[in-house]
């Protein structure tokens, strides 16, 4: 990952300014839309949701920043209108986690929501970069890929599962051990998936290197893997990790836009379809799954290349990866199967 994250400025090297947030009125969607509205990288910001977008749009439109905000509801062909001309589509839509709810519990509701939104993307803006936040990401990204495949417009380089919150948590939680003033200065790749034990933080590859006492490593890994539960419990069941996820979603969106505009050296972990990305075939073969999160070099076409870090992991991390790969396969199969067998599949 690129050391240091410079202040963002608008670039004239390439145009990529029309962004859409699908699920803009929700707990993640509202703060995410705020962050995107404040970014000088975006000229037009379209907000879509089934409720609430007129109010969110009016509120954000009073902010003195570059982006022009428009809002759309499902009625009157709102999804198509929101997606028309989109360069980037960010999808935080769906129901949030509740106490005792796993990401798999979210599947039956969120799977259909993501399928329908991606169908709209396939029909209206098939060349847009698609950033999926909706959980369970381990399944919703395969759903998105299958929908795009069935429509004949799938480009693996343009589909991303946003796992940046796992990276943000790893950076933040390790700070309590290292004492680094700015957590984002410690770059830690997180690979695998985006749920519980499928999340594998590679503290052995931290840059700069971190010295984590043996008795603290296990609890640190678990905290990164199950950080979402910590927030759900702290909110007393009244919400999930919305603000931190909005920040993570914004950070990844910003990285994609900067890379497409021509900035070099931007590397961010993301959950992608490996066989369609340079370097991905070898990783997919080693991991035993086609969808997997690894450090991705971003560029004008999206995912320019996947970095194979599997051979460099520590012995402890190898054990974590075995559990990850076992659990991940079932989630991927579930997502693919949903599109091919569900009554709503097109």
């Amino acid at each position: 990952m690129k050391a240091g994250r410079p202040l963002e400025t608008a670039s004239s090297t390439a145009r990529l300014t029309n962004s859409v947030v699908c699920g803009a009125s929700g707990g993640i969607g509202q703060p995410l839309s705020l962050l995107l509205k404040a970014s000088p990288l975006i000229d037009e910001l379209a907000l879509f949701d089934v409720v609430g977008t007129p109010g969110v749009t009016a509120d954000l439109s009073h902010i003195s920043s570059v982006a022009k905000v428009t809002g759309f509801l499902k009625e009157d062909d709102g999804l198509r209108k929101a997606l028309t001309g989109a360069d980037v589509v960010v999808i935080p839509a769906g129901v949030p986690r509740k106490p005792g709810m796993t990401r798999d519990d979210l599947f039956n509701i969120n799977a259909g929501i993501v399928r329908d939104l991606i169908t709209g993307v396939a029909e209206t803006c098939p060349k847009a970069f698609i950033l999926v936040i909706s959980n369970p990401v381990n399944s919703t990204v395969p759903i998105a890929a299958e929908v795009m495949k069935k429509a004949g417009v799938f480009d693996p380089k343009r589909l991303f599962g946003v796992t940046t919150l796992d990276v943000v948590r790893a950076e933040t939680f390790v700070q309590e051990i290292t004492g680094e003033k700015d957590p984002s200065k410690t770059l830690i790749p997180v690979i695998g998936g985006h749920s519980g034990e499928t999340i594998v933080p590679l503290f052995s590859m931290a840059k700069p290197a971190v010295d984590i006492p043996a008795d603290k490593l296990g609890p640190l890994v678990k905290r990164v893997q199950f950080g979402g539960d910590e927030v759900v419990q702290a909110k007393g069941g009244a919400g999930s990790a919305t603000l931190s996820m909005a920040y993570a979603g914004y950070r990844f969106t910003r990285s994609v836009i900067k890379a497409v505009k021509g900035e070099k050296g931007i590397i961010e972990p993301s959950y992608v379809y490996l066989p369609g990305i340079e370097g991905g075939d070898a990783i997919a073969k080693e991991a035993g799954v086609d969808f997997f999160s690894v450090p991705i070099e971003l560029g004008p076409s999206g995912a320019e290349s996947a970095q194979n870090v599997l051979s460099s992991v520590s012995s402890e991390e190898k054990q974590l990866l075995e559990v990850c790969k076992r659990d991940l396969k079932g989630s991927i199969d579930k997502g693919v199967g949903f599109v091919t067998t569900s009554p709503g599949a097109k």
Side-chain angles (χ1 to χ4, degrees):
M1 286 175 286
K2 188 171 181 178
R5 297 181 175 91
L7 292 174
E8 64 180 18
T9 56
S11 169
S12 60
T13 57
R15 174 193 165 278
L16 183 69
T17 55
N18 296 354
S19 297
V20 180
V21 178
C22 292
S25 299
I28 297 170
Q30 288 199 41
L32 173 59
S33 298
L34 170 63
L35 291 167
L36 293 172
K37 172 68 173 86
S39 173
L41 298 173
I42 296 171
D43 283 340
E44 295 184 19
L45 178 63
L47 309 181
F48 174 82
D49 212 324
V50 294
V51 295
T53 43
V56 176
T57 302
D59 200 355
L60 290 179
S61 70
H62 292 187
I63 295 173
S64 56
S65 62
V66 174
K68 176 185 176 183
V69 185
T70 52
F72 302 90
L73 293 169
K74 188 175 182 179
E75 293 77 13
D76 300 321
D77 208 15
L79 180 59
R80 183 189 61 80
K81 292 176 182 177
L83 293 173
T84 298
D87 299 305
V88 178
V89 179
V90 191
I91 305 178
V95 299
R97 294 177 68 197
K98 297 177 181 178
M101 181 184 286
T102 67
R103 284 184 168 84
D104 281 342
D105 293 329
L106 301 175
F107 181 85
N108 288 334
I109 297 175
N110 288 357
I113 292 172
V114 171
R115 177 199 62 210
D116 294 345
L117 291 171
I118 296 297
T119 298
V121 173
E123 294 172 349
T124 308
C125 54
K127 293 188 179 299
F129 296 93
I130 306 168
L131 283 56
V132 179
I133 293 173
S134 306
N135 279 318
V137 164
N138 293 353
S139 299
T140 54
V141 173
I143 287 172
E146 287 300 306
V147 171
M148 297 296 280
K149 285 178 184 178
K150 291 185 77 170
V153 293
F154 181 46
D155 182 350
K157 294 183 177 182
R158 292 174 179 263
L159 175 63
F160 303 92
V162 181
T163 61
T164 311
L165 181 54
D166 304 324
V167 178
V168 169
R169 284 177 172 148
E171 294 171 350
T172 303
F173 299 161
V174 80
Q175 179 200 32
E176 297 176 9
I177 296 172
T178 64
E180 169 65 52
K181 183 178 180 180
D182 183 352
S184 67
K185 298 298 184 184
T186 303
L187 307 179
I188 301 165
V190 181
I191 65 173
H194 183 56
S195 173
E197 292 183 330
T198 67
I199 300 168
V200 182
L202 302 181
F203 290 107
S204 69
M205 298 184 193
K207 294 181 181 180
V210 294
D211 183 15
I212 303 172
D215 63 327
K216 293 186 177 181
L217 180 59
L220 178 61
V221 169
K222 288 295 182 185
R223 192 179 179 202
V224 173
Q225 292 178 326
F226 296 97
D229 294 342
E230 183 178 318
V231 177
V232 170
Q233 292 166 10
K235 290 186 176 181
S240 57
T242 54
L243 300 175
S244 53
M245 185 63 249
Y247 168 75
Y250 163 71
R251 188 169 115 173
F252 187 76
T253 304
R254 181 183 62 183
S255 291
V256 169
I257 293 174
K258 284 185 172 184
V260 173
K261 281 180 173 289
E263 187 169 326
K264 303 294 185 182
I266 298 180
I267 299 171
E268 295 278 2
S270 181
Y271 184 70
V272 297
Y273 180 71
L274 289 168
I277 299 170
E278 182 180 341
D281 282 328
I283 302 172
K285 184 176 180 180
E286 190 170 349
V289 289
D290 286 343
F291 292 89
F292 202 78
S293 181
V294 290
I296 299 293
E297 182 173 2
L298 301 171
S301 64
E304 298 285 349
S305 64
Q307 298 189 348
N308 192 348
V309 296
L310 297 181
S311 61
S312 303
V313 301
S314 68
S315 57
E316 293 88 352
E317 291 160 354
K318 284 182 180 178
Q319 294 176 13
L320 295 173
L321 277 171
E322 289 307 309
V323 177
C324 162
K325 290 185 282 187
R326 180 196 67 206
D327 293 350
L328 200 51
K329 188 178 187 307
S331 296
I332 294 168
D333 291 343
K334 191 173 184 179
V336 172
F338 177 80
V339 178
T340 57
T341 63
S342 67
K346 297 181 180 180

